[in-house]
Coordinates of all heavy atoms in Angstrom, one line a residue:
M1 N 99.9 114.6 76.7 CA 101.0 114.1 77.4 C 101.2 114.7 78.8 O 101.5 114.0 79.7 CB 102.3 114.5 76.5 CG 103.6 113.9 77.0 SD 103.6 112.2 76.9 CE 105.2 111.8 77.2
E2 N 100.8 115.9 78.9 CA 101.0 116.6 80.2 C 99.9 116.0 81.2 O 100.2 115.9 82.4 CB 100.7 118.1 80.1 CG 100.9 118.9 81.4 CD 100.8 120.3 81.2 OE1 101.2 120.9 80.2 OE2 100.2 121.0 82.1
E3 N 98.8 115.7 80.8 CA 97.8 115.0 81.6 C 98.3 113.6 82.1 O 98.1 113.2 83.2 CB 96.5 114.8 80.8 CG 95.4 114.1 81.7 CD 94.1 114.0 80.8 OE1 94.0 114.8 79.8 OE2 93.3 113.1 81.2
I4 N 99.0 112.9 81.3 CA 99.5 111.6 81.6 C 100.6 111.8 82.7 O 100.6 111.1 83.8 CB 100.1 110.9 80.5 CG1 99.0 110.5 79.5 CG2 100.8 109.6 80.9 CD1 99.4 109.9 78.1
I5 N 101.4 112.7 82.6 CA 102.5 113.1 83.5 C 101.8 113.5 84.9 O 102.3 113.0 86.0 CB 103.5 114.1 83.1 CG1 104.2 113.5 81.8 CG2 104.4 114.6 84.2 CD1 105.0 114.5 81.1
N6 N 100.8 114.3 84.8 CA 100.1 114.7 86.1 C 99.5 113.6 86.8 O 99.6 113.5 88.0 CB 99.1 115.9 85.8 CG 99.8 117.1 85.4 OD1 100.9 117.4 85.9 ND2 99.1 118.0 84.8
N7 N 98.9 112.7 86.0 CA 98.3 111.5 86.5 C 99.3 110.6 87.2 O 99.1 110.1 88.3 CB 97.6 110.7 85.5 CG 96.5 109.8 86.0 OD1 96.2 109.8 87.2 ND2 96.1 108.9 85.1
I8 N 100.4 110.4 86.6 CA 101.4 109.6 87.2 C 102.1 110.1 88.5 O 102.2 109.5 89.5 CB 102.7 109.4 86.1 CG1 102.2 108.4 85.0 CG2 103.9 108.8 86.8 CD1 103.1 108.4 83.9
L9 N 102.2 111.5 88.5 CA 102.7 112.2 89.7 C 101.7 112.1 90.8 O 102.1 111.9 92.0 CB 103.0 113.6 89.4 CG 104.2 113.9 88.5 CD1 104.3 115.4 88.2 CD2 105.4 113.4 89.1
R10 N 100.4 112.2 90.6 CA 99.3 112.1 91.5 C 99.3 110.7 92.2 O 99.3 110.6 93.4 CB 98.0 112.4 91.0 CG 96.9 112.5 92.0 CD 95.5 112.9 91.4 NE 95.1 111.9 90.5 CZ 94.8 112.0 89.3 NH1 94.5 113.2 88.8 NH2 94.4 111.0 88.5
H11 N 99.4 109.7 91.3 CA 99.4 108.3 91.8 C 100.7 108.1 92.6 O 100.7 107.3 93.6 CB 99.3 107.4 90.7 CG 97.7 107.3 90.2 ND1 96.7 107.9 90.8 CD2 97.3 106.8 89.0 CE1 95.6 107.6 90.2 NE2 96.0 107.1 89.0
T12 N 101.8 108.6 92.1 CA 103.1 108.4 92.9 C 103.0 109.1 94.3 O 103.5 108.4 95.2 CB 104.3 109.0 92.0 OG1 104.2 108.3 90.7 CG2 105.6 108.8 92.8
K13 N 102.5 110.3 94.3 CA 102.3 110.9 95.6 C 101.4 110.1 96.6 O 101.7 109.9 97.7 CB 101.7 112.3 95.5 CG 101.5 113.1 96.7 CD 100.9 114.4 96.5 CE 100.6 115.0 97.9 NZ 99.6 116.1 97.8
R14 N 100.3 109.5 96.1 CA 99.5 108.8 96.9 C 100.1 107.5 97.3 O 99.9 107.1 98.5 CB 98.2 108.3 96.0 CG 97.2 109.6 95.9 CD 95.9 109.1 95.1 NE 95.2 108.1 95.7 CZ 94.0 108.3 96.4 NH1 93.7 109.5 96.7 NH2 93.5 107.3 96.9
L15 N 101.0 106.9 96.6 CA 101.7 105.7 96.9 C 102.7 106.0 98.0 O 102.7 105.3 99.0 CB 102.3 105.0 95.7 CG 103.2 103.8 95.9 CD1 102.2 102.7 96.4 CD2 103.9 103.4 94.7
I16 N 103.4 107.1 97.8 CA 104.3 107.5 98.9 C 103.6 107.7 100.3 O 104.1 107.3 101.3 CB 105.2 108.7 98.4 CG1 106.1 108.4 97.2 CG2 105.9 109.3 99.6 CD1 106.7 109.5 96.5
V17 N 102.6 108.5 100.2 CA 101.8 108.8 101.4 C 101.2 107.5 102.0 O 101.3 107.2 103.2 CB 100.6 109.7 101.2 CG1 99.7 109.8 102.3 CG2 101.1 111.1 100.8
L18 N 100.8 106.5 101.2 CA 100.4 105.2 101.6 C 101.5 104.4 102.3 O 101.3 103.9 103.5 CB 99.7 104.4 100.5 CG 99.3 103.0 100.9 CD1 98.0 103.1 101.8 CD2 98.9 102.3 99.6
V19 N 102.7 104.4 101.7 CA 103.7 103.7 102.3 C 104.2 104.3 103.7 O 104.4 103.6 104.6 CB 104.9 103.6 101.4 CG1 106.2 103.0 101.9 CG2 104.5 102.7 100.1
I20 N 104.4 105.6 103.7 CA 104.9 106.3 104.8 C 103.8 106.2 105.9 O 104.1 105.9 107.0 CB 105.3 107.7 104.5 CG1 106.6 107.7 103.6 CG2 105.7 108.4 105.8 CD1 107.0 109.1 103.1
G21 N 102.7 106.6 105.6 CA 101.5 106.7 106.6 C 101.2 105.3 107.1 O 101.1 105.0 108.3
G22 N 101.2 104.2 106.2 CA 101.0 103.0 106.6 C 102.0 102.4 107.5 O 101.8 101.6 108.5
T23 N 103.3 102.7 107.2 CA 104.4 102.2 108.0 C 104.2 102.9 109.5 O 104.4 102.1 110.5 CB 105.7 102.6 107.4 OG1 105.9 102.1 106.1 CG2 107.0 102.2 108.3
V24 N 104.0 104.1 109.5 CA 103.8 104.7 110.9 C 102.7 104.2 111.6 O 102.8 103.9 112.8 CB 103.7 106.3 110.6 CG1 103.3 107.0 112.0 CG2 104.9 106.9 110.1
L25 N 101.6 104.0 110.9 CA 100.4 103.4 111.5 C 100.6 102.0 112.1 O 100.3 101.7 113.2 CB 99.2 103.4 110.6 CG 97.9 102.9 111.1 CD1 97.4 103.7 112.3 CD2 96.8 102.8 110.0
L26 N 101.3 101.2 111.2 CA 101.6 99.8 111.7 C 102.5 99.8 112.9 O 102.5 98.9 113.7 CB 102.2 99.0 110.6 CG 101.1 98.5 109.5 CD1 101.9 97.9 108.2 CD2 100.1 97.8 110.0
F27 N 103.5 100.7 112.9 CA 104.4 100.8 113.9 C 103.7 101.3 115.2 O 104.0 100.6 116.3 CB 105.5 101.9 113.5 CG 106.5 102.1 114.6 CD1 107.5 101.1 115.0 CD2 106.6 103.3 115.3 CE1 108.4 101.3 116.0 CE2 107.6 103.5 116.4 CZ 108.4 102.5 116.7
G28 N 102.8 102.1 115.1 CA 101.9 102.5 116.2 C 101.1 101.3 116.7 O 101.0 101.2 118.0
I29 N 100.6 100.6 115.8 CA 99.8 99.4 116.4 C 100.8 98.4 117.1 O 100.3 97.8 118.1 CB 99.1 98.7 115.1 CG1 98.0 99.7 114.6 CG2 98.6 97.3 115.4 CD1 97.4 99.3 113.3
A30 N 102.0 98.2 116.6 CA 103.0 97.3 117.2 C 103.3 97.9 118.5 O 103.6 97.1 119.5 CB 104.2 97.3 116.4
L31 N 103.3 99.3 118.8 CA 103.6 99.7 120.0 C 102.5 99.5 121.1 O 102.7 99.8 122.3 CB 103.8 101.3 119.9 CG 105.1 101.7 119.3 CD1 105.2 103.2 119.0 CD2 106.3 101.2 120.0
I32 N 101.3 99.1 120.7 CA 100.4 98.7 121.7 C 100.9 97.5 122.5 O 100.7 97.4 123.7 CB 99.0 98.4 121.0 CG1 98.4 99.6 120.3 CG2 98.0 97.7 121.9 CD1 97.3 99.2 119.4
F33 N 101.6 96.6 121.8 CA 102.0 95.4 122.5 C 103.4 95.5 123.0 O 103.8 94.5 123.8 CB 102.0 94.2 121.4 CG 100.6 94.1 120.8 CD1 100.4 94.6 119.6 CD2 99.6 93.5 121.5 CE1 99.1 94.4 119.0 CE2 98.3 93.4 121.0 CZ 98.1 93.8 119.7
V34 N 104.2 96.4 122.7 CA 105.5 96.7 123.3 C 105.5 98.1 123.9 O 104.7 98.9 123.5 CB 106.6 96.5 122.3 CG1 106.7 95.1 121.8 CG2 106.5 97.5 121.2
P35 N 106.3 98.4 124.9 CA 106.4 99.7 125.5 C 106.6 100.8 124.5 O 107.6 100.7 123.7 CB 107.5 99.5 126.6 CG 107.8 98.1 126.7 CD 107.3 97.4 125.5
G36 N 105.8 101.8 124.5 CA 106.1 102.9 123.5 C 104.8 103.7 123.5 O 103.7 103.5 124.0
P37 N 105.0 104.9 122.8 CA 103.9 105.9 122.7 C 102.9 105.7 121.6 O 102.7 106.4 120.7 CB 104.6 107.2 122.5 CG 105.9 106.8 121.7 CD 106.2 105.4 122.2
A38 N 102.2 104.5 121.7 CA 101.3 104.1 120.6 C 100.1 105.2 120.5 O 99.6 105.5 119.4 CB 100.6 102.8 120.9
I39 N 99.6 105.8 121.7 CA 98.6 106.8 121.7 C 99.0 108.0 120.8 O 98.1 108.8 120.3 CB 98.2 107.1 123.1 CG1 96.9 107.9 123.0 CG2 99.3 108.0 123.7 CD1 95.9 107.4 124.1
I40 N 100.3 108.2 120.6 CA 100.7 109.4 119.8 C 101.0 108.9 118.3 O 100.7 109.6 117.4 CB 102.0 110.0 120.4 CG1 101.7 110.7 121.8 CG2 102.6 111.1 119.4 CD1 102.9 111.0 122.6
V41 N 101.6 107.8 118.2 CA 102.0 107.3 116.8 C 100.9 107.0 116.0 O 100.9 107.2 114.8 CB 103.1 106.2 117.0 CG1 103.5 105.6 115.6 CG2 104.3 106.6 117.7
I42 N 99.9 106.3 116.5 CA 98.7 105.9 115.7 C 98.0 107.0 115.1 O 97.8 107.1 113.8 CB 97.7 105.0 116.5 CG1 98.5 103.6 116.8 CG2 96.4 104.7 115.8 CD1 97.7 102.7 117.7
P43 N 97.6 108.1 115.8 CA 97.0 109.2 115.2 C 97.9 110.0 114.2 O 97.5 110.5 113.2 CB 96.6 110.3 116.4 CG 96.5 109.3 117.5 CD 97.6 108.1 117.3
L44 N 99.2 110.0 114.4 CA 100.2 110.5 113.5 C 100.2 109.7 112.2 O 100.1 110.4 111.1 CB 101.5 110.5 114.1 CG 102.7 111.1 113.2 CD1 102.5 112.5 113.0 CD2 104.0 110.8 113.9
G45 N 100.1 108.5 112.3 CA 100.0 107.7 111.0 C 98.7 108.0 110.3 O 98.6 108.1 109.0
L46 N 97.6 108.2 111.0 CA 96.3 108.4 110.4 C 96.3 109.8 109.8 O 95.7 110.1 108.8 CB 95.2 108.3 111.5 CG 94.7 106.9 111.8 CD1 93.8 106.9 113.0 CD2 94.2 106.2 110.6
M47 N 97.0 110.8 110.5 CA 97.1 112.1 109.9 C 97.8 112.1 108.6 O 97.5 112.8 107.6 CB 97.7 113.1 110.9 CG 96.9 113.5 112.0 SD 97.7 114.8 113.0 CE 98.2 113.9 114.4
I48 N 98.9 111.4 108.5 CA 99.6 111.3 107.2 C 98.7 110.6 106.1 O 98.6 111.2 105.1 CB 100.9 110.5 107.4 CG1 101.9 111.1 108.4 CG2 101.5 110.2 106.1 CD1 103.0 110.3 108.8
L49 N 98.1 109.6 106.5 CA 97.2 108.9 105.5 C 96.0 109.9 105.1 O 95.5 109.8 104.0 CB 96.7 107.6 106.0 CG 97.8 106.6 106.1 CD1 97.3 105.4 107.0 CD2 98.1 106.0 104.8
A50 N 95.5 110.6 106.1 CA 94.3 111.4 105.8 C 94.5 112.6 104.8 O 93.6 113.2 104.3 CB 93.8 112.1 107.1
T51 N 95.8 112.8 104.6 CA 96.1 113.9 103.6 C 95.8 113.5 102.1 O 95.5 114.3 101.3 CB 97.7 114.2 103.5 OG1 98.4 113.1 103.2 CG2 98.1 114.8 104.8
E52 N 95.6 112.1 101.8 CA 95.4 111.6 100.6 C 94.1 110.6 100.5 O 93.6 110.4 99.5 CB 96.4 110.8 100.0 CG 97.7 111.8 99.6 CD 97.3 112.6 98.4 OE1 96.6 112.2 97.5 OE2 97.7 113.8 98.4
F53 N 93.7 110.1 101.7 CA 92.6 109.0 101.7 C 91.5 109.4 102.7 O 91.7 109.7 103.8 CB 93.3 107.7 102.2 CG 94.3 107.2 101.3 CD1 95.7 107.4 101.6 CD2 94.1 106.6 100.1 CE1 96.7 107.0 100.8 CE2 95.1 106.2 99.2 CZ 96.5 106.3 99.5
L54 N 90.3 109.3 102.0 CA 89.1 109.7 102.8 C 88.8 108.8 104.0 O 88.4 109.2 105.1 CB 87.9 109.7 101.9 CG 86.6 110.0 102.4 CD1 86.5 111.4 103.0 CD2 85.5 109.8 101.4
W55 N 89.1 107.5 103.7 CA 88.8 106.5 104.8 C 89.7 106.8 106.1 O 89.1 106.7 107.3 CB 89.1 105.0 104.4 CG 90.5 104.8 103.9 CD1 90.9 104.9 102.6 CD2 91.6 104.4 104.8 NE1 92.3 104.6 102.6 CE2 92.7 104.3 103.9 CE3 91.7 104.2 106.1 CZ2 94.0 104.0 104.3 CZ3 93.0 103.9 106.5 CH2 94.2 103.8 105.7
A56 N 90.9 107.4 106.0 CA 91.7 107.7 107.1 C 91.2 108.9 107.8 O 91.2 109.0 108.9 CB 93.2 107.8 106.6
R57 N 90.7 109.8 106.9 CA 90.1 111.1 107.4 C 88.9 110.8 108.3 O 88.7 111.4 109.4 CB 89.7 112.0 106.3 CG 89.8 113.5 106.6 CD 89.6 114.3 105.3 NE 90.7 113.9 104.4 CZ 90.5 113.8 103.0 NH1 89.3 114.1 102.5 NH2 91.5 113.6 102.2
V58 N 88.0 109.8 107.9 CA 86.8 109.5 108.7 C 87.3 108.8 109.9 O 86.7 109.2 111.0 CB 85.9 108.4 107.8 CG1 84.9 107.9 108.6 CG2 85.4 109.2 106.5
I59 N 88.2 108.0 109.9 CA 88.7 107.2 111.2 C 89.3 108.3 112.2 O 89.0 108.2 113.4 CB 89.7 106.2 110.9 CG1 89.0 105.0 110.1 CG2 90.3 105.6 112.1 CD1 89.9 104.0 109.6
L60 N 90.0 109.2 111.6 CA 90.6 110.2 112.5 C 89.6 111.2 113.1 O 89.7 111.5 114.2 CB 91.6 111.1 111.5 CG 92.5 112.1 112.3 CD1 93.4 111.4 113.4 CD2 93.5 112.8 111.3
E61 N 88.5 111.5 112.3 CA 87.5 112.3 112.9 C 86.8 111.6 114.0 O 86.4 112.1 115.0 CB 86.5 112.8 111.8 CG 87.1 113.9 110.9 CD 87.6 115.1 111.5 OE1 86.8 115.6 112.4 OE2 88.6 115.6 111.2
R62 N 86.5 110.3 113.8 CA 85.8 109.5 114.8 C 86.7 109.4 116.1 O 86.2 109.5 117.3 CB 85.6 108.1 114.4 CG 84.5 108.0 113.4 CD 84.2 106.6 112.8 NE 83.2 106.5 111.9 CZ 82.9 105.5 111.2 NH1 83.7 104.4 111.3 NH2 82.1 105.6 110.2
L63 N 88.0 109.3 116.0 CA 89.0 109.2 117.1 C 88.9 110.6 117.8 O 88.9 110.6 119.0 CB 90.3 108.9 116.6 CG 91.5 108.7 117.5 CD1 91.1 107.5 118.5 CD2 92.8 108.6 116.9
K64 N 88.9 111.7 117.1 CA 88.8 113.1 117.7 C 87.6 113.2 118.5 O 87.6 113.7 119.6 CB 88.9 114.1 116.6 CG 90.3 114.3 116.0 CD 90.2 115.4 114.9 CE 91.5 115.5 114.2 NZ 91.4 116.6 113.2
E65 N 86.5 112.7 118.0 CA 85.2 112.8 118.6 C 85.1 112.0 120.0 O 84.6 112.4 121.0 CB 84.0 112.4 117.8 CG 83.7 113.2 116.6 CD 82.7 112.7 115.6 OE1 82.0 111.6 115.9 OE2 82.4 113.4 114.6
K66 N 85.8 110.8 119.9 CA 85.8 110.0 121.1 C 86.7 110.7 122.1 O 86.4 110.5 123.4 CB 86.3 108.6 120.7 CG 85.3 107.7 120.1 CD 85.8 106.3 119.9 CE 84.7 105.5 119.2 NZ 85.1 104.1 119.2
I67 N 87.7 111.2 121.7 CA 88.6 111.9 122.7 C 88.0 113.0 123.3 O 88.0 113.3 124.6 CB 90.0 112.3 122.0 CG1 90.8 111.1 121.7 CG2 90.8 113.2 122.9 CD1 92.0 111.3 120.9
K68 N 87.3 113.9 122.4 CA 86.5 115.0 123.0 C 85.4 114.6 124.0 O 85.1 115.2 125.0 CB 86.0 115.8 121.9 CG 86.9 116.6 121.2 CD 86.3 117.5 120.0 CE 87.3 118.3 119.3 NZ 86.7 119.0 118.2
G69 N 84.8 113.4 123.7 CA 83.6 112.9 124.6 C 84.2 112.5 125.9 O 83.5 112.6 126.9
K70 N 85.4 111.9 125.9 CA 86.0 111.4 127.2 C 86.5 112.6 128.1 O 86.5 112.5 129.3 CB 87.1 110.5 126.9 CG 86.7 109.2 126.4 CD 87.9 108.2 126.2 CE 87.4 106.9 125.8 NZ 88.4 105.9 125.7
K71 N 86.8 113.7 127.4 CA 87.3 114.9 128.2 C 86.1 115.6 129.0 O 86.3 116.3 130.0 CB 88.0 115.9 127.4 CG 89.4 115.4 127.0 CD 90.1 116.4 126.2 CE 91.6 115.9 125.8 NZ 92.3 117.0 124.9
S72 N 84.9 115.6 128.3 CA 83.8 116.3 129.0 C 83.3 115.6 130.2 O 83.3 114.5 130.5 CB 82.7 116.4 128.0 OG 83.1 117.1 126.8

């Protein structure tokens, strides 16, 4: 029974992270087309998603590498 509860809690946490992170990310993408700090909001959404999803972590790492490459 405890395993089922832990499984439900884990999936619930992933769903909450997906909804919040996805909303922030979509808002950041919308800010590309309207005035706003898209360059800050998009990585923030990816950081939220990266706490639970590997694909977001990979995209965030690639973004960090590109930013570091442009500074040099």
Side-chain angles (χ1 to χ4, degrees):
M1 184 68 168
E2 187 175 324
E3 183 180 334
I4 294 171
I5 293 172
N6 287 336
N7 198 16
I8 291 171
L9 290 175
R10 186 179 64 231
H11 286 342
T12 302
K13 179 184 175 195
R14 286 178 62 95
L15 180 63
I16 291 169
V17 168
L18 179 64
V19 169
I20 293 172
T23 301
V24 173
L25 182 61
L26 289 174
F27 180 66
I29 292 171
L31 288 177
I32 293 172
F33 303 104
V34 296
I39 196 139
I40 296 171
V41 178
I42 291 173
L44 181 62
L46 286 172
M47 281 189 258
I48 294 169
L49 290 168
T51 62
E52 288 293 322
F53 299 101
L54 179 61
W55 60 267
R57 209 170 302 140
V58 170
I59 293 171
L60 190 59
E61 288 301 318
R62 287 182 186 167
L63 185 62
K64 286 179 185 178
E65 288 174 9
K66 284 187 179 186
I67 290 172
K68 286 180 182 178
K70 287 184 179 181
K71 288 184 178 180
S72 297

